[in-house]
Amino acid sequence: MTVFEELKARGLLAQLTDEEEIKELINNGKATFYIGFDPTADSLHVGHFMALCLMKRLQMAGNKPIALIGGGTGMIGDPSGRSDMRTMMTPEIIQHNCDCFKEQMSKFIDFSEGKALMVNNADWLMDLNYIEVLREVGAHFSVNRMLTAECYKQRMEKGLSFLEFNYMIMQSYDFYVLFQKYGCNMQFGGDDQWSNMLGGTELIRRKLGKDAYAMTITLLLNSEGKKMGKTQKGAVWLDPKKTTPFEFFQYWRNVADADVLKCIRMLTFLPLEQIDEMDHWEGSELNKAKEILAFELTKLVHGEDEANRALESAKALFSSGNAADMPAVKLSEENFVDGTIDILTMLVASGLVASRSEGRRAVEQGGVTVDGEKVTDIKAAYGKDRLTGEGIVLRRGKKNFKKIQV
């Protein structure tokens, strides 16, 4: 199976231009391609996984990735998938976020001499003057055509700022610069970026002639990949200080049954033959598949030692109700009354419920356990001695748990 065929078999490719040329470049290790990352936070999250894994796959096949950090476009903000305008960031915050991205990306991509590049579009966008942009770039874009782009449609009712309207032009100019400066002949992006990417291809061909070599590919289900990065309580980050390796492991361990094999196929580097054998798995076998997914992705991000620790802790949690690396909550003196703490106060303090009334419902519905024992009394209380040392494991439902310690 060729590299291109494997990308298709894993469900990673959707729309593309010039398929035969793209196939030729990728299969022969001749693609110099870029994927853009806007530095809107100081850590990448699991919604970036698909792009990072794709870059790693193509680099392993001899192609050259360019990680484009949007230090310049980040000053504007991508309107795609948003109903309101992004918060403006200072140059200092953007630079800090860029530095954090490079450290995390290095776990996926080999940035040693000649193998990959990381560039910041602030290096060329910040030096542009307004008249130059209008004459050299803006002249090649039709406003009527831009307004039909999916990334702008959902903003039209609430109002699209002129600032954000320029994002497509800036992103298109990125591809033009990367093509000229680094020989970048291919760009990848999410399905919500298709119009912006076509703008880049069109700009190159208009300014440099129809024979200019530039192509676009979008990632299938990338919008779904972005959703993967969000949970009810916020993003699942790649930075272990924001999301511990155990929490990261548990996130993937708890994916829906319908998604687990899709995630294994798209995000892991397991052989397709091995994954195909899992297609008929059902019931408890799907739990094994989730464990495989969680282990492989935790190993990829945090290393094999942390993946093994997370796996052992997860097994300990479900077998004996205890685990070494699960998220912990330290209680303070003010949480106790006469040396004890009741179950509702503990649930609120742990963050497993938002209020005592929510905690009461959880207990009454049989969804709360302490060290594997179901709690049925809303007045149940625990002394400090029970919470010292290793503490207890407080769980709400099947997936939400915390270690509670004094």
Side-chain angles (χ1 to χ4, degrees):
M1 181 180 291
T2 67
V3 179
F4 185 83
E5 288 171 342
E6 181 174 355
L7 295 181
K8 278 198 162 185
R10 288 185 180 273
L12 290 169
L13 302 183
Q15 304 175 79
L16 57 155
T17 62
D18 310 293
E19 179 169 343
E20 290 305 314
E21 290 85 350
I22 290 172
K23 187 186 302 183
E24 173 72 16
L25 288 172
I26 288 177
N27 288 342
N28 292 287
K30 295 180 180 179
T32 298
F33 66 96
Y34 95 89
I35 298 180
F37 300 82
D38 272 352
T40 53
D42 60 359
S43 173
L44 297 165
H45 57 71
V46 298
H48 295 112
F49 236 117
M50 202 175 302
L52 293 170
C53 291
L54 177 73
M55 296 175 87
K56 182 178 178 71
R57 290 184 206 282
L58 291 178
Q59 186 181 52
M60 290 169 63
N63 299 287
K64 185 176 180 179
I66 299 175
L68 176 66
I69 306 299
T73 44
M75 299 290 289
I76 297 175
D78 184 0
S80 301
R82 295 187 63 85
S83 59
D84 55 4
M85 188 168 159
R86 292 184 186 272
T87 302
M88 301 284 272
M89 297 184 294
T90 66
E92 292 77 18
I93 291 176
I94 290 174
Q95 184 56 52
H96 170 71
N97 293 350
C98 290
D99 295 339
C100 293
F101 277 21
K102 183 167 187 179
E103 181 180 351
Q104 293 170 15
M105 285 181 181
S106 296
K107 296 179 180 179
F108 294 82
I109 304 165
D110 180 2
F111 285 104
S112 59
E113 188 66 31
K115 293 187 176 180
L117 290 171
M118 175 172 281
V119 296
N120 189 331
N121 62 16
D123 293 343
W124 54 83
L125 293 180
M126 301 297 280
D127 292 335
L128 289 172
N129 67 61
Y130 189 58
I131 299 300
E132 181 182 1
V133 172
L134 291 178
R135 287 178 57 88
E136 299 300 322
V137 184
H140 298 286
F141 286 81
S142 161
V143 171
N144 290 350
R145 190 170 170 185
M146 290 174 69
L147 289 175
T148 64
E150 198 63 38
C151 60
Y152 292 144
K153 280 183 180 179
Q154 59 188 358
R155 293 296 307 280
M156 294 304 291
E157 289 186 10
K158 289 190 175 182
L160 176 71
S161 72
F162 184 70
L163 175 74
E164 295 171 290
F165 187 62
N166 282 269
Y167 191 91
M168 181 188 292
I169 294 176
M170 297 295 96
Q171 183 173 330
S172 299
Y173 188 71
D174 283 343
F175 194 20
Y176 172 71
V177 171
L178 293 173
F179 178 85
Q180 289 197 298
K181 193 171 183 179
Y182 302 108
C184 180
N185 50 24
M186 195 175 298
Q187 60 178 331
F188 285 77
D191 51 5
D192 57 345
Q193 295 292 314
W194 184 241
S195 297
N196 294 352
M197 294 167 66
L198 287 180
T201 299
E202 186 67 18
L203 179 62
I204 290 172
R205 292 177 177 174
R206 281 176 175 269
K207 289 187 69 66
L208 303 178
K210 291 185 179 180
D211 293 333
Y213 216 45
M215 291 158 290
T216 57
I217 299 181
T218 66
L219 301 186
L220 180 64
L221 298 174
N222 197 44
S223 58
E224 184 171 332
K226 289 181 179 180
K227 293 175 185 176
M228 290 179 187
K230 301 290 183 181
T231 66
Q232 292 180 352
K233 297 185 179 180
V236 177
W237 305 101
L238 305 194
D239 184 344
K241 296 176 183 176
K242 297 168 79 74
T243 298
T244 68
F246 181 78
E247 291 173 312
F248 185 85
F249 181 97
Q250 284 300 118
Y251 172 79
W252 293 108
R253 174 63 181 77
N254 292 324
V255 299
D257 289 356
D259 294 333
V260 59
L261 290 178
K262 179 169 58 181
C263 289
I264 290 177
R265 196 174 296 277
M266 292 191 295
L267 304 178
T268 76
F269 288 79
L270 295 175
L272 283 170
E273 295 81 6
Q274 181 180 346
I275 300 171
D276 289 340
E277 292 176 0
M278 301 180 191
D279 278 342
H280 67 278
W281 285 11
E282 297 177 347
S284 61
E285 289 179 314
L286 285 179
N287 289 328
K288 177 63 177 176
K290 293 178 185 181
E291 195 173 89
I292 291 171
L293 171 68
F295 179 84
E296 290 296 324
L297 297 189
T298 305
K299 180 174 70 173
L300 189 61
V301 175
H302 298 295
E304 190 164 1
D305 287 345
E306 288 292 352
N308 281 319
R309 281 170 60 86
L311 176 60
E312 291 170 5
S313 293
K315 287 182 176 179
L317 171 69
F318 288 103
S319 62
S320 63
N322 203 358
D325 298 326
M326 73 177 64
V329 173
K330 300 284 188 180
L331 298 178
S332 62
E333 189 66 36
E334 63 186 25
N335 295 121
F336 292 85
V337 176
D338 297 329
T340 64
I341 182 171
D342 65 82
I343 188 65
L344 301 186
T345 300
M346 193 156 55
L347 282 166
V348 174
S350 70
L352 292 175
V353 299
S355 65
R356 291 178 66 85
S357 59
E358 184 181 347
R360 178 191 294 268
R361 289 194 297 273
V363 171
E364 291 175 341
Q365 292 168 4
V368 176
T369 65
V370 170
D371 283 344
E373 301 262 341
K374 183 179 293 187
V375 179
T376 58
D377 183 1
I378 61 172
K379 295 181 180 180
Y382 304 86
K384 284 185 181 178
D385 56 339
R386 177 80 182 272
L387 301 173
T388 56
E390 286 297 315
I392 64 173
V393 175
L394 178 64
R395 186 191 298 181
R396 181 194 175 192
K398 294 181 179 180
K399 302 179 181 180
N400 302 304
F401 48 83
K402 294 284 178 70
K403 179 180 285 190
I404 309 296
Q405 299 170 311
V406 176

